[in-house]
Amino acid sequence: MKTVNLTINQLLDQIAQFTDPETEGVTRLLYDEHWIEAQKFLLELGQMIGLDSGFDQVGNVILTKFGTANDESAITIGSHIDSVVNAGKYDGIYGVATAIIAIKELLAEYGAPKKTIQILSFCEEEGSRFPFTFTGSKNLINQLPDDIYQLVDKTGESFEEAQAKAIYALKNIFPLVSALPPTAYAEIHIEQGPVLERLNKEIGIVTAIVAQKRFTVTINGKNNHAGTTPMWLRVDPLKQAVKLIHQLEVIALKIGEPFVFTVGEMAISPNASNVIPEQAKFSIDIRHTDEKELLFFEELIYKLAKTQMQELAGLEIKIDKWTDVGTEEMNETYIEALQAICKEKQLSFHLMPSGAGHDTQIVNRIAPTALLFVPSVDGISHSPQEFTTTENLEKGKTVFKQFIYDLAY
Ligand code: HGY
Ligand code: MN
Ligand code: MN
């Protein structure tokens, strides 16, 4: 077996090379050519460190070390390989890199584990190419709906076509396998927020992950000449979008913390300065630990849209919900165990909820889970400026590795 002496940072830098060079930072979208190269790299790396390397029918990479107990399930660890557009080099992939390095070190120090361990590089979590999230972890727990195959990305390519190309590129080199059912799942991730840095804590132990809903709102109006169409005659979808977003913003601020409301994407057509638009399309992302608040806000979106359509003849507002995940609480026993490990390693820690979504919240539907954070400098994420110090990356690995040892050896 070739010796692989990679630090976490070196592995992160290698994987960050698999990106669309036309963009800032890292852009690696589900099934694109950079995604294929990154998954291939991880499959080869798994082989080099003595793991059984394969991938499943949605392109999750599965690196397995069978335990001496020969069980039919596995201690499962990992995170996602895909990124948002213009991302940093840590989101998701830090969890995959740390899992690989922790297992490499445990095998060198203690040999084969009692329990089987499987590392997953989940194919997709972000929802940054197709309007769908958590593809990889939903496939792991057999909750992947069939209707995703007809989804199309911004270029018009279907999920089905993109997946077929990516799987074809992998299957000629590596075996198609299925993951084992998870008996436990653990993920380590950058915090992507300012809390740990502000509190000067080294490790975040996540107690719960917020509920999250995402929508695409499509507003159709009547495109016309910007100069000759009087204001009272217009059915302007962009102005109506602004009106709806403003009304929602006022209510969102009234709901207050920890509720968050984001409009991150917007597309106008035909998008010309002297043309009243025909269509305005935008995203809505809402999150809260209390699912009732989210439901209240969701119903408000529909209600306000309906009123706007009643007030302006010819206006059409369509609302498509494509993410709806509930609040998930991490396993109490694991939270205790992680606190004990931090105390033993003399690392400061903070118990906290996660405002970011993670594969942990999906796997938590069928198995006990643990989620660890390391600090993000200035709380920045989903940006090329995303940064975590080497020291904190390594401290996270120390805790994560001990936790896996305690579960599997
Ligand atoms: O959007 C999120 O919460 C995560 O980064 N996918
Ligand atoms: Mn992310
Ligand atoms: Mn992530």
Side-chain angles (χ1 to χ4, degrees):
M1 181 174 66
K2 226 167 113 189
T3 51
V4 176
N5 275 328
L6 275 179
T7 64
I8 293 179
N9 244 336
Q10 285 167 334
L11 194 41
L12 291 174
D13 287 340
Q14 290 219 21
I15 296 164
Q17 305 308 314
F18 304 116
T19 179
D20 176 350
E22 304 299 309
T23 62
E24 297 282 307
V26 172
T27 302
R28 189 170 49 244
L29 305 182
L30 176 62
Y31 302 141
D32 75 10
E33 57 188 290
H34 318 293
W35 177 98
I36 293 170
E37 290 313 307
Q39 293 292 58
K40 274 187 188 168
F41 172 83
L42 293 174
L43 284 158
E44 283 157 6
L45 182 61
Q47 285 176 333
M48 283 196 285
I49 62 174
L51 303 177
D52 284 73
S53 290
F55 64 94
D56 69 11
Q57 85 273 19
V58 294
N60 289 325
V61 160
I62 304 158
L63 309 178
T64 309
K65 182 64 189 174
F66 289 96
T68 49
N70 259 331
D71 34 20
E72 291 297 302
S73 57
I75 305 290
T76 305
I77 57 180
S79 193
H80 60 95
I81 187 77
D82 70 316
S83 76
V84 295
V85 175
N86 297 350
K89 69 175 188 178
Y90 302 89
D91 179 355
I93 204 58
Y94 168 59
V96 178
T98 303
I100 290 171
I101 291 192
I103 298 311
K104 181 171 86 61
E105 292 178 2
L106 286 170
L107 294 178
E109 291 160 26
Y110 305 101
K114 266 203 221 86
K115 299 206 177 127
T116 294
I117 301 172
Q118 63 184 0
I119 300 171
L120 278 154
S121 167
F122 285 119
C123 64
E124 182 279 333
E125 182 264 8
E126 297 283 6
S128 46
R129 177 172 182 185
F130 297 96
F132 188 79
T133 49
F134 303 109
T135 306
S137 40
K138 283 177 185 166
N139 192 60
L140 174 69
I141 68 168
N142 298 314
Q143 291 187 15
L144 197 62
D146 294 334
D147 60 2
I148 56 171
Y149 287 91
Q150 282 64 51
L151 294 174
V152 291
D153 67 8
K154 292 187 177 71
T155 67
E157 181 162 36
S158 76
F159 189 100
E160 188 171 27
E161 292 159 342
Q163 184 184 83
K165 277 187 223 165
I167 296 300
Y168 180 78
L170 295 177
K171 75 177 182 188
N172 298 333
I173 320 167
F174 299 97
L176 190 62
V177 298
S178 296
L180 291 168
T183 36
Y185 177 73
E187 182 172 3
I188 188 165
H189 203 287
I190 53 170
E191 178 201 338
Q192 299 181 289
V195 172
L196 291 176
E197 186 179 62
R198 291 282 173 88
L199 297 176
N200 195 22
K201 299 289 183 186
E202 294 160 306
I203 301 286
I205 299 174
V206 177
T207 53
I209 303 175
V210 293
Q212 176 187 154
K213 293 178 189 272
R214 289 199 218 170
F215 309 81
T216 297
V217 180
T218 305
I219 304 185
N220 293 312
K222 194 173 174 328
N223 64 317
N224 213 325
H225 194 291
T228 55
T229 314
M231 293 304 275
W232 54 271
L233 203 56
R234 296 183 179 206
V235 184
D236 182 338
L238 179 50
K239 300 283 179 66
Q240 291 299 312
V242 168
K243 181 177 172 185
L244 178 57
I245 293 167
H246 174 70
Q247 293 177 99
L248 291 171
E249 177 77 357
V250 168
I251 305 291
L253 294 171
K254 282 205 179 100
I255 293 174
E257 305 244 319
F259 181 68
V260 285
F261 159 63
T262 309
V263 175
E265 280 181 290
M266 182 168 274
I268 312 297
S269 73
N271 206 27
S273 61
N274 60 348
V275 177
I276 303 166
E278 180 170 25
Q279 184 182 86
K281 199 168 187 176
F282 60 92
S283 62
I284 289 180
D285 174 319
I286 51 175
R287 311 196 190 186
H288 200 302
T289 42
D290 181 347
E291 292 178 32
K292 288 190 298 303
E293 290 286 4
L294 277 196
L295 192 59
F296 158 76
F297 199 84
E298 176 178 358
E299 283 161 4
L300 181 72
I301 299 171
Y302 302 135
K303 216 158 64 192
L304 292 173
K306 192 168 167 222
T307 307
Q308 287 182 226
M309 283 191 281
Q310 284 164 345
E311 287 169 351
L312 183 58
L315 184 72
E316 184 198 36
I317 303 180
K318 285 186 293 180
I319 299 165
D320 164 35
K321 180 170 67 173
W322 49 273
T323 286
D324 192 349
V325 289
T327 300
E328 293 285 344
E329 296 189 346
M330 282 48 284
N331 179 274
E332 269 304 323
T333 310
Y334 294 168
I335 291 171
E336 297 296 322
L338 287 167
Q339 291 178 74
I341 294 170
C342 289
K343 285 174 191 154
E344 185 228 324
K345 307 278 182 197
Q346 295 176 328
L347 292 170
S348 58
F349 64 89
H350 176 60
L351 298 183
M352 60 192 288
S354 170
H358 294 289
D359 291 305
T360 301
Q361 75 192 100
I362 302 300
V363 186
N364 199 59
R365 293 177 184 171
I366 65 160
T369 62
L371 178 58
L372 277 173
F373 280 165
V374 291
S376 293
V377 171
D378 296 337
I380 295 172
S381 183
H382 283 186
S383 150
Q385 276 70 50
E386 190 177 89
F387 181 69
T388 294
T389 65
T390 301
E391 195 193 358
N392 283 334
L393 295 175
E394 293 295 335
K395 285 173 183 169
K397 184 206 66 176
T398 301
V399 177
F400 188 75
K401 179 179 161 185
Q402 184 63 51
F403 182 69
I404 301 310
Y405 175 83
D406 295 345
L407 281 183
Y409 279 79

